[in-house]
Amino acid sequence: MRLSPTHPRYRSLVVRAGLARACRSGVVVPEGLIAHGRGEAFDYLLGERTRPGARRAERAAAEWLRAARHPVLSVNGNVAALAAREVAALACAVPGLSVEVNLFHRTPARARRIAGVLRAAGVDPVLGVRPTARLSGLPSDRARVDRRGIFSADLCLVPLEDGDRAEALRARGQRVISIDLNPLSRTSRAADLPIVDELTRALRAIAAEAIRLRRRRRPPRWVEFDADRARAEALREIARNLNRAATRRRDAPIRA
Amino acid sequence: MRLSPTHPRYRSLVVRAGLARACRSGVVVPEGLIAHGRGEAFDYLLGERTRPGARRAERAAAEWLRAARHPVLSVNGNVAALAAREVAALACAVPGLSVEVNLFHRTPARARRIAGVLRAAGVDPVLGVRPTARLSGLPSDRARVDRRGIFSADLCLVPLEDGDRAEALRARGQRVISIDLNPLSRTSRAADLPIVDELTRALRAIAAEAIRLRRRRRPPRWVEFDADRARAEALREIARNLNRAATRRRDAPIRA
């Protein structure tokens, strides 16, 4: 299918076509496409831009990643398909950050394929292809992790994750940063630091801030973050956008 | 994968698993899964139930379908995968209603497969498998229609459609009833009668109302419907739900 750059939803269409290809090649599972659609809806309602509240969360995330003893970024099929380059750039900007493949729908071939996508983008090493440990209390394959990675991390950055997993990490005393466009999702609600923003925008913003902090030689610190307030802010912003749209007739897109 | 009925999102998970299967068999395309995810997000925000405003729209839709000279229900892959039985039941409740396969991503094999799903559910005849006419001004395969169906219809019921198509039908002077959970979508905005409700709930409600009207021997009539008001109502309802959720801490699901 050819996509016309004049289409009002051109960018969304390009991303969708890329994910559809990634589904055909087995990097993304069908359930991942449905999850992407949910995210799209929330991004649309948020105006498809990084709100000031999300920017604050991204700055705090950069501080936490620098302050952590052993931070790990968890990657699933959607993350690899949507943002492999951004993952590589963040791993470069935060030298202590490990990258681990962690899948709900795991097969050895799929894990290898996703690791290949990450390596091609410059991520090295990629943990989690052959799991060496198990998180207790998680019935899914999400429990299968790398002993040197998620298992021993003090901070996990979990983009586009499922709620069970985020809750299991917190129960183990690990801090969780989520990137999820749905401020009501179980992942967002379980996270210590929920970033309610689109994946590539969030990863780029965190990387840029981490580089800035390093250049200024700021000492690492666990800055405070009010997760409840951040979620409530995002919800109120969507509500405002909708009420504004409701007062227009045959209205323009939500960001206009 | 086994699904546990105790999971808080059990029903969604069952529907998702069914769509994933339909994707593997070629009835649903990957883009259709992403579209389903968008719908899921809006259904969640609407409380996953039929609001009074949607119920009013469904009653009006039943009146319009009875009043039309030649009403046609357009079916794509998602509609066949999600609601083939409901399509058959509606076609039975509204004897004049034709059912036509109409696809954005069309191949002859896929059209036949979708027609097979509909026939297995009791729909007969199924139009649109071999298109015999073309709608002008539509660049996609959506333009390829049946001369006895969408081409000559005075009323089209278009669930889960794309905006281009709904606009093209209106430009031809055909009335459009949409079923789309996103009140801001181009389809909802183009429709004369937008139903903002989940597909199976909407089709069942329209069928039940059509049967009721027939039993009471009500004369067919084009009841008035204020589309702008219906859309604005849905938007305000979502906004109310979100503001309510924002005042809760570590909150419960939106419908609680």
Side-chain angles (χ1 to χ4, degrees), chain B residues 95-141:
Chain B
L97 184 66
S98 300
V99 176
E100 176 167 344
V101 175
N102 184 266
L103 304 175
F104 190 92
H105 300 275
R106 174 185 280 274
T107 65
R110 187 167 175 242
R112 278 196 303 274
R113 207 167 291 138
I114 290 169
V117 171
L118 291 172
R119 278 196 207 97
V123 181
D124 185 45
V126 177
L127 304 179
V129 177
R130 271 176 296 275
T132 51
R134 185 168 263 285
L135 302 180
S136 58
L138 254 185
S140 79
D141 270 351

Short mmCIF file of all heavy atoms in Angstrom, two decimals, chain B residues 95-141:
data_model
loop_
_atom_site.label_atom_id
_atom_site.label_comp_id
_atom_site.label_asym_id
_atom_site.label_seq_id
_atom_site.Cartn_x
_atom_site.Cartn_y
_atom_site.Cartn_z
N PRO B 95 -35.82 -7.41 7.28
CA PRO B 95 -35.83 -8.25 6.08
C PRO B 95 -35.27 -7.57 4.83
O PRO B 95 -34.70 -8.23 3.98
CB PRO B 95 -37.31 -8.58 5.91
CG PRO B 95 -37.89 -8.45 7.30
CD PRO B 95 -37.14 -7.34 7.95
N GLY B 96 -35.39 -6.25 4.71
CA GLY B 96 -34.89 -5.59 3.50
C GLY B 96 -33.39 -5.32 3.49
O GLY B 96 -32.86 -4.79 2.51
N LEU B 97 -32.70 -5.67 4.57
CA LEU B 97 -31.28 -5.31 4.70
C LEU B 97 -30.36 -6.23 3.90
O LEU B 97 -30.39 -7.44 4.08
CB LEU B 97 -30.88 -5.36 6.19
CG LEU B 97 -29.45 -4.92 6.56
CD1 LEU B 97 -29.24 -3.44 6.28
CD2 LEU B 97 -29.16 -5.22 8.02
N SER B 98 -29.53 -5.64 3.01
CA SER B 98 -28.51 -6.43 2.31
C SER B 98 -27.20 -6.37 3.08
O SER B 98 -26.92 -5.37 3.76
CB SER B 98 -28.28 -5.86 0.90
OG SER B 98 -29.47 -5.91 0.15
N VAL B 99 -26.41 -7.42 2.95
CA VAL B 99 -25.10 -7.47 3.62
C VAL B 99 -24.03 -7.57 2.54
O VAL B 99 -24.10 -8.43 1.66
CB VAL B 99 -25.03 -8.68 4.58
CG1 VAL B 99 -23.63 -8.79 5.19
CG2 VAL B 99 -26.09 -8.57 5.66
N GLU B 100 -23.04 -6.66 2.60
CA GLU B 100 -22.01 -6.62 1.56
C GLU B 100 -20.63 -6.58 2.17
O GLU B 100 -20.36 -5.81 3.09
CB GLU B 100 -22.23 -5.38 0.67
CG GLU B 100 -21.15 -5.21 -0.39
CD GLU B 100 -21.52 -4.17 -1.46
OE1 GLU B 100 -22.71 -3.81 -1.57
OE2 GLU B 100 -20.60 -3.72 -2.16
N VAL B 101 -19.73 -7.40 1.65
CA VAL B 101 -18.33 -7.36 2.06
C VAL B 101 -17.66 -6.18 1.35
O VAL B 101 -17.75 -6.06 0.13
CB VAL B 101 -17.60 -8.67 1.68
CG1 VAL B 101 -16.11 -8.57 2.00
CG2 VAL B 101 -18.23 -9.85 2.41
N ASN B 102 -17.02 -5.31 2.11
CA ASN B 102 -16.34 -4.15 1.53
C ASN B 102 -15.04 -3.96 2.28
O ASN B 102 -15.04 -3.77 3.49
CB ASN B 102 -17.24 -2.91 1.61
CG ASN B 102 -16.61 -1.72 0.93
OD1 ASN B 102 -15.95 -0.92 1.58
ND2 ASN B 102 -16.77 -1.61 -0.38
N LEU B 103 -13.92 -4.01 1.54
CA LEU B 103 -12.62 -4.08 2.20
C LEU B 103 -11.66 -3.00 1.74
O LEU B 103 -11.58 -2.68 0.56
CB LEU B 103 -11.98 -5.45 1.92
CG LEU B 103 -12.82 -6.67 2.32
CD1 LEU B 103 -12.13 -7.94 1.88
CD2 LEU B 103 -13.09 -6.69 3.81
N PHE B 104 -10.89 -2.48 2.68
CA PHE B 104 -9.81 -1.57 2.36
C PHE B 104 -8.62 -2.38 1.83
O PHE B 104 -8.00 -2.02 0.84
CB PHE B 104 -9.42 -0.78 3.61
CG PHE B 104 -8.49 0.36 3.35
CD1 PHE B 104 -8.96 1.63 3.10
CD2 PHE B 104 -7.11 0.15 3.36
CE1 PHE B 104 -8.09 2.68 2.84
CE2 PHE B 104 -6.23 1.21 3.10
CZ PHE B 104 -6.72 2.46 2.85
N HIS B 105 -8.30 -3.47 2.52
CA HIS B 105 -7.21 -4.35 2.10
C HIS B 105 -7.84 -5.55 1.42
O HIS B 105 -8.09 -6.58 2.06
CB HIS B 105 -6.39 -4.80 3.30
CG HIS B 105 -5.76 -3.65 4.06
ND1 HIS B 105 -4.57 -3.09 3.69
CD2 HIS B 105 -6.17 -2.95 5.14
CE1 HIS B 105 -4.26 -2.11 4.52
NE2 HIS B 105 -5.22 -2.00 5.40
N ARG B 106 -8.15 -5.43 0.12
CA ARG B 106 -8.89 -6.48 -0.57
C ARG B 106 -7.99 -7.39 -1.38
O ARG B 106 -7.13 -6.92 -2.13
CB ARG B 106 -9.94 -5.84 -1.51
CG ARG B 106 -10.67 -6.86 -2.39
CD ARG B 106 -11.61 -6.19 -3.38
NE ARG B 106 -12.87 -5.80 -2.77
CZ ARG B 106 -13.94 -6.59 -2.65
NH1 ARG B 106 -13.89 -7.84 -3.05
NH2 ARG B 106 -15.05 -6.14 -2.11
N THR B 107 -8.18 -8.68 -1.21
CA THR B 107 -7.72 -9.67 -2.18
C THR B 107 -8.93 -10.57 -2.41
O THR B 107 -9.79 -10.68 -1.53
CB THR B 107 -6.54 -10.53 -1.65
OG1 THR B 107 -7.01 -11.32 -0.55
CG2 THR B 107 -5.36 -9.69 -1.20
N PRO B 108 -9.01 -11.19 -3.59
CA PRO B 108 -10.16 -12.07 -3.83
C PRO B 108 -10.27 -13.16 -2.76
O PRO B 108 -11.36 -13.46 -2.28
CB PRO B 108 -9.86 -12.65 -5.21
CG PRO B 108 -9.00 -11.62 -5.88
CD PRO B 108 -8.15 -11.05 -4.78
N ALA B 109 -9.11 -13.71 -2.35
CA ALA B 109 -9.15 -14.80 -1.36
C ALA B 109 -9.70 -14.30 -0.03
O ALA B 109 -10.48 -14.97 0.64
CB ALA B 109 -7.74 -15.37 -1.17
N ARG B 110 -9.27 -13.09 0.35
CA ARG B 110 -9.73 -12.56 1.64
C ARG B 110 -11.23 -12.28 1.60
O ARG B 110 -11.95 -12.57 2.55
CB ARG B 110 -8.93 -11.29 1.97
CG ARG B 110 -9.22 -10.78 3.33
CD ARG B 110 -8.25 -9.73 3.85
NE ARG B 110 -8.78 -9.29 5.11
CZ ARG B 110 -9.19 -8.06 5.38
NH1 ARG B 110 -9.04 -7.09 4.51
NH2 ARG B 110 -9.71 -7.77 6.56
N ALA B 111 -11.71 -11.71 0.50
CA ALA B 111 -13.14 -11.42 0.37
C ALA B 111 -13.94 -12.72 0.48
O ALA B 111 -14.97 -12.78 1.15
CB ALA B 111 -13.42 -10.72 -0.96
N ARG B 112 -13.45 -13.78 -0.17
CA ARG B 112 -14.16 -15.07 -0.11
C ARG B 112 -14.16 -15.62 1.31
O ARG B 112 -15.15 -16.17 1.78
CB ARG B 112 -13.48 -16.08 -1.06
CG ARG B 112 -13.91 -15.95 -2.52
CD ARG B 112 -13.53 -17.20 -3.31
NE ARG B 112 -12.10 -17.49 -3.26
CZ ARG B 112 -11.18 -16.96 -4.08
NH1 ARG B 112 -11.55 -16.14 -5.05
NH2 ARG B 112 -9.91 -17.28 -3.96
N ARG B 113 -13.01 -15.48 1.98
CA ARG B 113 -12.91 -16.02 3.34
C ARG B 113 -13.90 -15.32 4.28
O ARG B 113 -14.57 -15.94 5.10
CB ARG B 113 -11.47 -15.84 3.85
CG ARG B 113 -11.07 -16.86 4.87
CD ARG B 113 -9.56 -16.86 5.11
NE ARG B 113 -8.81 -17.36 3.99
CZ ARG B 113 -7.68 -16.81 3.53
NH1 ARG B 113 -7.18 -15.72 4.10
NH2 ARG B 113 -7.06 -17.33 2.50
N ILE B 114 -14.00 -13.99 4.13
CA ILE B 114 -14.92 -13.23 4.98
C ILE B 114 -16.37 -13.59 4.65
O ILE B 114 -17.20 -13.76 5.56
CB ILE B 114 -14.64 -11.71 4.81
CG1 ILE B 114 -13.29 -11.38 5.45
CG2 ILE B 114 -15.76 -10.88 5.41
CD1 ILE B 114 -12.77 -10.00 5.13
N ALA B 115 -16.67 -13.74 3.37
CA ALA B 115 -18.02 -14.16 2.99
C ALA B 115 -18.33 -15.53 3.59
O ALA B 115 -19.46 -15.78 4.04
CB ALA B 115 -18.14 -14.19 1.47
N GLY B 116 -17.32 -16.39 3.65
CA GLY B 116 -17.51 -17.72 4.24
C GLY B 116 -17.86 -17.63 5.72
O GLY B 116 -18.73 -18.36 6.21
N VAL B 117 -17.18 -16.74 6.44
CA VAL B 117 -17.48 -16.55 7.86
C VAL B 117 -18.92 -16.07 8.03
O VAL B 117 -19.66 -16.55 8.91
CB VAL B 117 -16.49 -15.53 8.48
CG1 VAL B 117 -16.90 -15.15 9.89
CG2 VAL B 117 -15.07 -16.09 8.46
N LEU B 118 -19.35 -15.16 7.16
CA LEU B 118 -20.72 -14.63 7.26
C LEU B 118 -21.75 -15.72 6.94
O LEU B 118 -22.76 -15.87 7.63
CB LEU B 118 -20.90 -13.44 6.31
CG LEU B 118 -20.13 -12.17 6.69
CD1 LEU B 118 -20.22 -11.13 5.58
CD2 LEU B 118 -20.67 -11.58 8.00
N ARG B 119 -21.49 -16.48 5.88
CA ARG B 119 -22.44 -17.54 5.49
C ARG B 119 -22.56 -18.58 6.59
O ARG B 119 -23.64 -19.05 6.90
CB ARG B 119 -21.98 -18.20 4.18
CG ARG B 119 -22.40 -17.39 2.97
CD ARG B 119 -22.34 -18.17 1.67
NE ARG B 119 -22.13 -17.20 0.59
CZ ARG B 119 -20.95 -16.91 0.05
NH1 ARG B 119 -19.85 -17.54 0.44
NH2 ARG B 119 -20.86 -16.00 -0.90
N ALA B 120 -21.41 -18.91 7.20
CA ALA B 120 -21.44 -19.91 8.27
C ALA B 120 -22.29 -19.43 9.45
O ALA B 120 -22.86 -20.22 10.19
CB ALA B 120 -20.01 -20.20 8.75
N ALA B 121 -22.40 -18.09 9.59
CA ALA B 121 -23.23 -17.55 10.67
C ALA B 121 -24.68 -17.40 10.24
O ALA B 121 -25.53 -17.00 11.05
CB ALA B 121 -22.66 -16.19 11.12
N GLY B 122 -24.99 -17.68 8.96
CA GLY B 122 -26.39 -17.64 8.52
C GLY B 122 -26.75 -16.47 7.61
O GLY B 122 -27.93 -16.24 7.34
N VAL B 123 -25.76 -15.70 7.15
CA VAL B 123 -26.05 -14.59 6.25
C VAL B 123 -26.17 -15.12 4.82
O VAL B 123 -25.27 -15.82 4.35
CB VAL B 123 -24.94 -13.50 6.30
CG1 VAL B 123 -25.29 -12.34 5.36
CG2 VAL B 123 -24.73 -13.00 7.72
N ASP B 124 -27.27 -14.79 4.13
CA ASP B 124 -27.44 -15.25 2.75
C ASP B 124 -28.46 -14.37 2.06
O ASP B 124 -29.57 -14.22 2.57
CB ASP B 124 -27.89 -16.71 2.75
CG ASP B 124 -27.97 -17.26 1.33
OD1 ASP B 124 -27.03 -17.02 0.56
OD2 ASP B 124 -28.99 -17.91 1.02
N PRO B 125 -28.12 -13.72 0.93
CA PRO B 125 -26.84 -13.79 0.24
C PRO B 125 -25.81 -12.84 0.85
O PRO B 125 -26.17 -11.96 1.64
CB PRO B 125 -27.21 -13.32 -1.17
CG PRO B 125 -28.32 -12.34 -0.95
CD PRO B 125 -29.09 -12.85 0.24
N VAL B 126 -24.56 -13.02 0.45
CA VAL B 126 -23.49 -12.10 0.82
C VAL B 126 -23.03 -11.39 -0.45
O VAL B 126 -22.52 -12.03 -1.37
CB VAL B 126 -22.29 -12.84 1.46
CG1 VAL B 126 -21.17 -11.86 1.78
CG2 VAL B 126 -22.73 -13.59 2.71
N LEU B 127 -23.23 -10.09 -0.54
CA LEU B 127 -22.81 -9.31 -1.71
C LEU B 127 -21.34 -8.90 -1.58
O LEU B 127 -20.75 -8.99 -0.51
CB LEU B 127 -23.68 -8.06 -1.86
CG LEU B 127 -25.20 -8.27 -1.95
CD1 LEU B 127 -25.91 -6.92 -2.06
CD2 LEU B 127 -25.55 -9.17 -3.12
N GLY B 128 -20.78 -8.42 -2.69
CA GLY B 128 -19.47 -7.78 -2.64
C GLY B 128 -18.26 -8.67 -2.80
O GLY B 128 -17.13 -8.19 -2.77
N VAL B 129 -18.47 -9.97 -2.97
CA VAL B 129 -17.31 -10.85 -3.13
C VAL B 129 -16.66 -10.60 -4.49
O VAL B 129 -15.43 -10.55 -4.59
CB VAL B 129 -17.72 -12.34 -2.97
CG1 VAL B 129 -16.52 -13.24 -3.21
CG2 VAL B 129 -18.29 -12.57 -1.57
N ARG B 130 -17.51 -10.43 -5.52
CA ARG B 130 -17.00 -10.02 -6.83
C ARG B 130 -17.61 -8.67 -7.16
O ARG B 130 -18.75 -8.59 -7.63
CB ARG B 130 -17.37 -11.06 -7.90
CG ARG B 130 -16.32 -12.16 -8.06
CD ARG B 130 -16.79 -13.20 -9.06
NE ARG B 130 -17.99 -13.88 -8.56
CZ ARG B 130 -17.95 -14.92 -7.72
NH1 ARG B 130 -16.81 -15.40 -7.32
NH2 ARG B 130 -19.08 -15.47 -7.29
N PRO B 131 -16.87 -7.57 -6.91
CA PRO B 131 -17.44 -6.22 -7.08
C PRO B 131 -17.89 -6.00 -8.53
O PRO B 131 -17.24 -6.47 -9.47
CB PRO B 131 -16.28 -5.30 -6.72
CG PRO B 131 -15.35 -6.14 -5.91
CD PRO B 131 -15.49 -7.52 -6.42
N THR B 132 -18.99 -5.26 -8.69
CA THR B 132 -19.55 -5.02 -10.03
C THR B 132 -19.69 -3.54 -10.33
O THR B 132 -20.21 -3.17 -11.38
CB THR B 132 -20.93 -5.69 -10.15
OG1 THR B 132 -21.73 -5.27 -9.02
CG2 THR B 132 -20.82 -7.21 -10.15
N ALA B 133 -19.27 -2.67 -9.40
CA ALA B 133 -19.38 -1.23 -9.63
C ALA B 133 -18.28 -0.52 -8.86
O ALA B 133 -17.52 -1.15 -8.11
CB ALA B 133 -20.75 -0.72 -9.21
N ARG B 134 -18.18 0.78 -9.06
CA ARG B 134 -17.10 1.54 -8.45
C ARG B 134 -17.64 2.89 -7.96
O ARG B 134 -18.36 3.57 -8.68
CB ARG B 134 -16.01 1.75 -9.51
CG ARG B 134 -14.75 2.42 -9.03
CD ARG B 134 -13.64 2.33 -10.07
NE ARG B 134 -12.73 1.22 -9.80
CZ ARG B 134 -11.80 1.23 -8.84
NH1 ARG B 134 -11.65 2.27 -8.06
NH2 ARG B 134 -11.00 0.20 -8.67
N LEU B 135 -17.31 3.26 -6.73
CA LEU B 135 -17.68 4.58 -6.22
C LEU B 135 -16.62 5.57 -6.68
O LEU B 135 -15.43 5.33 -6.50
CB LEU B 135 -17.72 4.57 -4.69
CG LEU B 135 -18.66 3.59 -3.98
CD1 LEU B 135 -18.53 3.74 -2.47
CD2 LEU B 135 -20.09 3.80 -4.43
N SER B 136 -17.03 6.69 -7.27
CA SER B 136 -16.03 7.66 -7.74
C SER B 136 -15.46 8.43 -6.55
O SER B 136 -16.10 8.58 -5.51
CB SER B 136 -16.66 8.60 -8.75
OG SER B 136 -17.75 9.26 -8.17
N GLY B 137 -14.21 8.91 -6.73
CA GLY B 137 -13.60 9.77 -5.72
C GLY B 137 -13.00 9.04 -4.53
O GLY B 137 -12.56 9.67 -3.58
N LEU B 138 -12.97 7.71 -4.58
CA LEU B 138 -12.34 6.95 -3.49
C LEU B 138 -11.13 6.22 -4.05
O LEU B 138 -11.28 5.33 -4.88
CB LEU B 138 -13.32 5.92 -2.94
CG LEU B 138 -13.97 6.18 -1.59
CD1 LEU B 138 -14.80 4.98 -1.19
CD2 LEU B 138 -12.96 6.50 -0.51
N PRO B 139 -9.91 6.57 -3.62
CA PRO B 139 -8.74 5.94 -4.24
C PRO B 139 -8.53 4.49 -3.79
O PRO B 139 -7.87 3.73 -4.48
CB PRO B 139 -7.59 6.84 -3.77
CG PRO B 139 -8.06 7.49 -2.52
CD PRO B 139 -9.55 7.58 -2.61
N SER B 140 -9.06 4.08 -2.66
CA SER B 140 -8.76 2.74 -2.16
C SER B 140 -9.70 1.69 -2.73
O SER B 140 -10.65 1.99 -3.45
CB SER B 140 -8.86 2.72 -0.63
OG SER B 140 -10.21 2.63 -0.23
N ASP B 141 -9.42 0.44 -2.37
CA ASP B 141 -10.27 -0.67 -2.82
C ASP B 141 -11.67 -0.61 -2.23
O ASP B 141 -12.56 -1.34 -2.66
CB ASP B 141 -9.61 -2.01 -2.46
CG ASP B 141 -8.72 -2.50 -3.58
OD1 ASP B 141 -8.74 -1.90 -4.66
OD2 ASP B 141 -8.00 -3.49 -3.36
#
